Amino acid sequence: MGLVDVSRLPQHVAIIMDGNGRWAQRRDKPRTAGHERGADAVRATMRAARRLGIPALTLYAFSEQNWDRPQAEINALVDLLCECLVSERNELVDNEIRLSAIGRLHKLPERAQSKLASLTSETQSFEGMTLTLALSYGGREELIDATRELARRARDGEIDPAQIDEAAMDALMPSMNVGPVDLLVRTGGEQRISNFILWGSAYAELYFTDELWPDFGANSLYSAIAAYQSRERRFGLVPDAEPLPANESADELERAI
Ligand code: FPP
């Protein structure tokens, strides 16, 4: 934890939790054993983030594309989610963690929807940290849903298409409820975003680690944050505190970006 400067924390950390299957395979266990250990890593990461004081943590727990996995694995993941929504209730309440969920939640089985609704409602007023579970989520799907809504409003004369701007998009993207992603972490060795938060990750710092998700924990999170803090975030601007000579040309300015 000594690596982390708590005065410069990322305000929104989003994680693609990858590698559960490989973790299990390497131990000759069924993939579901990897997901179970993955749930332990979720708990450890959530605790560490809360202790540090990170305001928002978003976890990619089930992608829109995961519906194409074998039905037995889908059932096991839904069962695990339902168990966690019961077993972690006290952890969330005691630590004032607000639970939220994004994605096409209506596609989840009723038993998962009702447990999710009950815990999100019970923890709604907490301000310690917002834990968002991305479930049946896809970044493209989120953009499609927002676009459909804007098109509907334009058709019905509620908005002028010329007035659609970033703020209008932000307001229609549930993943933006906790602000843009500052740090996007992916475990499991792959270096891609795989349809996770697209709009809100526009300026996120990306951090990829070979560690498999079940092995991830507090120290892994600290390392990711330390890497984030070692980077210079410019948001398309020139570096700080470097006054340009009066005759700096546009070309030179471009090269500095
Ligand atoms: C990716 O590993 C992980 C998932 C598809 C599911 C994530 C689920 C958990 C971490 C379990 C519990 C979470 C909650 C919120 C209760 P993979 O199966 O794609 O791994 P592989 O790439 O090694 O096959």
Side-chain angles (χ1 to χ4, degrees), residues 17-23 31 35 38-39 42 60-62 66 69 73 77 80-81 84 133 213:
M17 309 182 288
D18 198 12
N20 293 352
R22 277 164 288 163
W23 183 94
R31 294 176 57 79
H35 296 316
V42 166
Y60 207 0
F62 196 87
N66 285 157
R69 291 197 174 196
E73 184 173 345
L77 278 167
L80 188 56
L81 172 68
C84 289
L133 298 180
W213 176 252

Side-chain angles (χ1 to χ4, degrees), residues 2-255:
L3 297 169
V4 171
D5 174 355
V6 289
S7 69
R8 292 188 302 120
L9 291 172
Q11 300 298 290
H12 182 184
V13 177
I15 307 184
I16 300 173
M17 309 182 288
D18 198 12
N20 293 352
R22 277 164 288 163
W23 183 94
Q25 203 173 26
R26 286 178 196 173
R27 289 161 180 78
D28 280 330
K29 292 184 172 178
R31 294 176 57 79
T32 48
H35 296 316
E36 281 162 23
R37 283 297 288 264
D40 296 338
V42 166
R43 189 178 310 109
T45 306
M46 172 178 85
R47 277 186 188 160
R50 173 70 180 94
R51 246 190 343 258
L52 275 177
I54 289 174
L57 175 68
T58 300
L59 302 176
Y60 207 0
F62 196 87
S63 77
E64 186 65 2
Q65 289 64 37
N66 285 157
W67 290 116
D68 292 330
R69 291 197 174 196
Q71 193 58 45
E73 184 173 345
I74 295 175
N75 293 344
L77 278 167
V78 171
D79 287 346
L80 188 56
L81 172 68
C82 290
E83 281 167 30
C84 289
L85 289 170
V86 174
S87 66
E88 300 312 306
R89 182 223 168 245
N90 290 351
E91 176 90 20
L92 297 188
V93 171
D94 293 347
N95 292 290
E96 307 213 310
I97 297 173
R98 184 169 80 96
L99 181 70
S100 168
I102 54 172
R104 293 184 167 164
L105 305 177
H106 60 273
K107 292 175 83 172
L108 294 171
E110 174 51 36
R111 67 185 193 285
Q113 284 189 50
S114 64
K115 288 191 171 59
L116 204 53
S118 136
L119 198 52
T120 50
S121 133
E122 188 183 355
T123 59
Q124 197 178 24
S125 63
F126 292 152
E127 293 181 352
M129 177 174 87
T130 299
L131 171 69
T132 304
L133 298 180
L135 293 161
S136 190
Y137 175 85
R140 287 185 171 181
E141 286 76 3
E142 188 182 25
L143 280 160
I144 289 169
D145 290 346
T147 307
R148 279 190 188 142
E149 176 58 16
L150 287 172
R152 184 201 63 73
R153 290 182 193 176
R155 183 199 62 200
D156 295 349
E158 294 169 22
I159 54 163
D160 172 357
Q163 284 171 348
I164 296 172
D165 57 8
E166 284 192 23
M169 287 294 289
D170 287 353
L172 287 171
M173 309 288 289
S175 62
M176 286 294 289
N177 287 347
V178 288
V181 176
D182 289 318
L183 171 60
L184 177 64
V185 174
R186 180 177 187 141
T187 62
E190 312 290 353
Q191 303 199 352
R192 19 173 209 269
I193 297 181
S194 298
N195 205 20
F196 194 27
I197 301 171
L198 298 177
W199 174 267
S201 295
Y203 287 100
E205 292 296 329
L206 307 181
Y207 178 83
F208 300 106
T209 169
D210 289 338
E211 202 168 28
L212 302 177
W213 176 252
D215 295 324
F216 199 87
N219 287 330
S220 323
L221 182 69
Y222 303 152
S223 299
I225 294 171
Y228 164 87
Q229 292 181 335
S230 73
R231 309 219 187 133
E232 186 190 20
R233 302 188 78 201
R234 296 214 293 267
F235 300 96
L237 305 175
V238 291
D240 270 354
E242 263 186 43
L244 294 173
N247 62 352
E248 182 89 306
S249 73
D251 271 3
E252 280 166 314
L253 202 119
E254 285 258 330
R255 277 201 296 277

